[in-house]
Amino acid sequence: MSTRTALSLENGVVSLQEKVNDALRLARQLGASQAEANASFGTGFSVNVRLREVETLRHQRDQGLGVTVWLGHRKGSASTSDLRPEAIEESVRKACALARYGAEDPASGLADADKLAKSIPELSLYHPWAIDPAAAIELATTCEAAALDFDPRVTNSEGASVSTSESLRVYGNSHGFLGSYPESDHSISCSVVAAQDGAMETDYEYAVARDAADLPGPAEVGAEAGRRTVARLGGTKLETCNAPVLFPARVARGLIGHLLSAISGGALYRKSSFLVDTLGKPVFASRVTIDEKPHLLKALASAPFDDEGVATTERRLVDAGVLGGYLLGSYYARKLGMQSTGNSGGAHNLVVHSTGETFADLLRTMDRGLVIADLMGSGVNPVTGDYSRGASGFWVENGQIQYPVTEITIAGNLKDMFQGILGIGSDVDRRGAVLTGSILLEQMTIGGS
Amino acid sequence: MNAVVAPESSLARVRSQVLDAAGIADHDLERALGALMRGTVDNADLYFQVSRQESWTLEDGIVKEGAHSIEQGVGVRAMSGEKTGFAYSDELVVPALLQASAAASAIVRQGQQGRVQAWQPRSGHRLYAPIDPLPTLTDDDKVALLQRIDSEVRALDPRVKQVVASLAAAHEVILVCASDGAMAADVRPLVRFNISVIVEQGDKREQGYAGGGGRFGYEYFTPEQVLEYGREAVRQAVVNLDAVPAPSGEMVVVLGPGWPGVLLHEAIGHGLEGDFNRKGTSAFTGRVGERVASDLCTVVDDGTLPNRRGSLNVDDEGTPTRNTVLIENGILRGYLQDKMNARLMGTESTGNGRRQSFAHTPMPRMTNTYMLAGPHHPDEIIASVKKGVYARNFGGGQVDITSGKFVFSATEAYRIENGKLGAPIRDATLVGDGPTVLNRVSMVGNDLALDTGIGVCGKEGQSVPVGVGQPTLRIDGLTIGGTGGDE
Ligand SMILES: [Zn+2]
């Protein structure tokens, strides 16, 4: 199948493909009726500068191979970070041995052959960054300086980091599929501390991109870290109340993230989801439409095929509030009597359509309520949708931010929260698998003093 | 259960298992450390790790999959002042070791080669047997154990609709040698059993979870022990079927014994880690000797408890673990240190230098963190509350070190009315302020318990196993976040 290669990982491609083929061949020799193997190689480095001095320089170099075999419908898996032939052989033998103890499970096996990617689209995911540690240290220094110099109340720092990595993944299976593609990820981040009246606050800003040319300037990232941190100073508690809540784009991504876990095959099959049996039903307010776009060029969650080699395709996941599909790999698709949606390993770029308002428009619509700065804790019950998390943010009156608030909770139920979406901003955050603008919710319970 | 093995022979065994197998001789170690000890480098270390893990998962009454993984490599670190250079290799061969050393030492400008101290084998504790836990049960018996618990749990209550159970073990062998002469090895077994159930009643569905483990073999999971986890998971799920919305606002909160000690881990423990205090970014910075809790509170971090999940014979820098007093009768006594932060703060390592693996750098981390028992009977504590919440079990927690604000999520909690437990309440998050919350502790139970061996602590992207514990505590005011309104 397609084997696009890239310069610095070129030797890697050939050698990883050989290792995958060796593993598959050996699995067949040991009696496996089906097998798949996944090999990866990654390299990169990161630097951290703190208080204008280099603090750390970390070199990274990872490799690994995982193999899964089926004896009939009995499954066993093994993985190794040692890629010498004898270690790979040991892993394949171990996987076969484990499969003998597995139970016969008719749903278990490779993805159906006709679902596998037939061609591998070029998604522009690989852009190596020709940067050495010295130059990265300079960028990080500029970034941190912009944060430290933003305001005299910025008094301390966790530092600024610049990192670059490139990786290659090869997936093959006994249907004859062999696919690979290289990827790169580069980032700049900064976290500082501000102090006022003996109390300290911290916050951070980051940028991440496939192509370093798409990163904002380091000073821009640093200044934003400084601005965010200073804005949190002087936070007070709120009186307990019910009020509208605005999730800025950065936090709104997590809100949509709860949808992703709830419509994943495993959660649905085990009924450990608050969205069991909701296909074709309205789970959001009718103003909400969400597409899955796996082939967006340079996007962070783009992929030509999923973890089972299944071709990824664009689709409408939520249409005017109505749930149009689940996130399924082959196994749970079979368990649910459905088809794989190419989501073994997760969602690929969920694009939440904006309802057209700017962040300022949403503040005006809200009039009086809470803007979230940061959420803490894991207080979401996936089975019931009950949602209760620690928060800090800003209180809004007359459509304007008034003062920071801290040590509060926000609570509701995700079913009601999804139905209570009043608007989705045009200020899209593209730094993850969910691409959304800020989201305004009609009402939540805010716990304070 | 503690087989007594002389540490020297344990070190010798690990050397032959890790180094001889890779063809790495003493002079290669000296050469690698020598390459690291250049210019202004204060200290350097090599950390070798070979680990094997397995897991077995049951769902739908059948064992769906066994998985096995091998991870090995060497991490190489050079430290100069506040600077750290780090590189690693997952190939255990001499050229890769030397290449990693060259990369890590690039943190400082080249200079004269520094001195590497003669190695002195460090004898750590003997807190657990140096065994490989994977073969302590046959694969047939692992499968049988999971199948038996599945049918037993389903028989406990007809409302049980789904059971997912898993059994996992890790065999980790580490060897660290440092330029300061430290050389130590540790063989670290770790086993774990988890069970989660879904119960259904009418159109209501709830989840319950239980599990445990520690540093021993699978023999710990006797049929009775495993059934006890199963009962606990079902009990929690069934309790929540009748749960009502949690109140919101500030209330008196009573925390149950054991795992609710996650409060101490979040509110206190992280804020006392040496790195944050050296940098001045913790809400506890500069407060040693000050009152940070009521005088009923004494909190320790103890890495020396036999067989506990959070215990280590030596930490990942080769320093034997200790029992460190963090808060004594309400007064802050000290921080948790690794070598680098101890050196920069002019103190000594407390044996809390831990890392997720060879591919990560050590940081000050907790081991088993708990509060000592107090004078009150737990019933007396609940009876003292006119109106409040009793939180018996928790999911997880999180803390902002700098502001001191922390949260943790109750998964099993009840209203307290006129000194008696009332209705169970739905998932509720509790929020508070680390440096002040323990000042509000007004009663401490005589029922100290440690958790069952399930803790995982995450910090800067690194996960390590930890333990927590506490007696029943009464806190006179903590903000609880439910949807049931203010009362
Ligand atoms: Zn932690």
Side-chain angles (χ1 to χ4, degrees), chain A residues 55 77 156 237 269 331 388, chain B residues 60 64-65 84 429 479 481:
Chain A
E55 189 180 55
S77 307
N156 202 342
K237 285 183 83 163
Y269 174 70
Y331 179 75
S388 169
Chain B
D60 291 333
K64 290 205 165 156
E65 182 179 351
T84 301
T429 288
T479 299

Side-chain angles (χ1 to χ4, degrees), chain A residues 14-195:
Chain A
V14 175
S15 119
L16 286 189
Q17 285 181 341
E18 278 169 7
K19 290 179 194 302
V20 163
N21 281 329
D22 289 348
L24 294 174
R25 194 176 313 116
L26 183 60
R28 211 161 29 239
Q29 284 165 10
L30 293 172
S33 40
Q34 289 191 324
E36 65 180 9
N38 207 326
S40 62
F41 172 76
T43 174
F45 71 86
S46 66
V47 299
N48 190 57
V49 168
R50 178 171 176 267
L51 297 177
R52 307 178 206 264
E53 294 276 351
V54 188
E55 189 180 55
T56 54
L57 166 57
R58 275 194 187 87
H59 292 271
Q60 166 223 334
R61 187 184 170 285
D62 297 292
Q63 58 179 29
L65 181 132
V67 60
T68 300
V69 304
W70 286 269
L71 304 175
H73 291 286
R74 294 177 299 156
K75 177 182 176 185
S77 307
S79 69
T80 174
S81 67
D82 180 353
L83 298 190
R84 286 173 302 171
E86 54 270 35
I88 292 175
E89 178 173 341
E90 191 194 337
S91 286
V92 178
R93 287 185 185 281
K94 190 73 201 177
C96 291
L98 289 172
R100 287 192 185 90
Y101 291 95
E104 193 71 24
D105 182 354
S108 191
L110 292 177
D112 298 342
D114 62 350
K115 289 250 166 202
L116 300 176
K118 289 175 184 61
S119 62
I120 297 186
E122 163 55 45
L123 302 178
S124 193
L125 305 180
Y126 181 60
H127 300 272
W129 190 0
I131 189 170
D132 61 12
I137 286 165
E138 202 163 307
L139 286 181
T141 306
T142 307
C143 178
E144 196 207 26
L148 292 173
D149 299 341
F150 179 81
D151 188 295
R153 290 170 293 174
V154 176
T155 53
N156 202 342
S157 174
E158 291 282 358
S161 298
V162 169
S163 79
T164 174
S165 72
E166 39 193 275
S167 62
L168 175 72
R169 184 187 146 222
V170 175
Y171 171 83
N173 67 31
S174 58
H175 285 325
F177 181 89
L178 185 65
S180 69
Y181 58 96
E183 296 176 272
S184 56
D185 286 288
H186 316 292
S187 72
I188 303 180
S189 63
C190 183
S191 172
V192 288
V193 175

Side-chain angles (χ1 to χ4, degrees), chain B residues 85-101:
Chain B
F86 179 68
Y88 61 88
S89 164
D90 34 27
E91 286 174 290
L92 281 181
V93 290
V94 172
L97 175 63
L98 296 176
Q99 203 185 343
S101 297

Side-chain angles (χ1 to χ4, degrees), chain B residues 36-287:
Chain B
L36 287 163
M37 290 299 290
R38 288 186 177 279
T40 56
V41 169
D42 302 303
N43 198 356
D45 59 12
L46 310 175
Y47 180 87
F48 295 87
Q49 181 193 352
V50 175
S51 66
R52 288 195 308 128
Q53 306 192 21
E54 68 169 8
S55 67
W56 300 80
T57 308
L58 170 138
E59 186 182 339
D60 291 333
I62 57 175
V63 172
K64 290 205 165 156
E65 182 179 351
H68 183 266
S69 69
I70 302 170
E71 200 185 12
Q72 60 167 47
V74 56
V76 168
R77 178 171 67 142
M79 290 163 284
S80 166
E82 300 189 36
K83 296 181 172 61
T84 301
F86 179 68
Y88 61 88
S89 164
D90 34 27
E91 286 174 290
L92 281 181
V93 290
V94 172
L97 175 63
L98 296 176
Q99 203 185 343
S101 297
S105 67
I107 191 74
V108 292
R109 279 180 219 97
Q110 293 297 302
Q112 288 298 307
Q113 187 163 325
R115 247 169 61 86
V116 176
Q117 302 281 320
W119 286 314
Q120 296 170 329
R122 297 278 161 94
S123 38
H125 309 290
R126 298 168 214 172
L127 304 171
Y128 34 82
I131 55 160
D132 176 358
L134 277 70
T136 55
L137 205 58
T138 66
D139 290 348
D140 282 317
D141 287 342
K142 294 167 198 166
V143 170
L145 180 151
L146 289 169
Q147 280 168 340
R148 189 175 57 239
I149 190 62
D150 178 77
S151 50
E152 283 176 344
V153 163
R154 287 175 195 272
L156 284 177
D157 194 308
R159 290 171 290 182
V160 173
K161 296 298 174 205
Q162 183 61 270
V163 178
V164 179
S166 67
L167 199 55
H171 177 230
E172 188 178 283
V173 177
I174 66 112
L175 187 150
V176 54
C177 52
S179 60
D180 63 7
M183 183 178 235
D186 199 7
V187 178
R188 299 169 173 171
L190 190 62
V191 295
R192 173 98 184 244
F193 173 85
N194 285 334
I195 183 164
S196 85
V197 302
I198 299 269
V199 297
E200 252 176 41
Q201 179 178 292
D203 58 355
K204 282 191 191 161
R205 236 178 7 252
E206 282 289 351
Q207 191 161 250
Y209 164 85
R215 298 198 181 278
F216 27 65
Y218 280 127
E219 68 280 357
Y220 180 76
F221 300 120
T222 58
E224 301 74 45
Q225 178 64 68
V226 171
L227 182 57
E228 195 182 311
Y229 296 134
R231 280 204 187 96
E232 176 60 14
V234 173
R235 189 192 63 75
Q236 282 187 33
V238 167
V239 161
N240 281 329
L241 281 173
D242 299 320
V244 300
S248 64
E250 197 170 300
M251 339 197 59
V252 175
V253 175
V254 176
L255 301 175
W259 177 244
V262 71
L263 166 87
L264 304 169
H265 178 100
E266 301 298 350
I268 305 290
H270 277 298
L272 299 182
E273 289 167 343
D275 44 357
F276 301 119
N277 289 283
R278 190 250 307 168
K279 295 175 186 172
T281 57
S282 165
F284 288 98
T285 300
R287 300 194 57 185

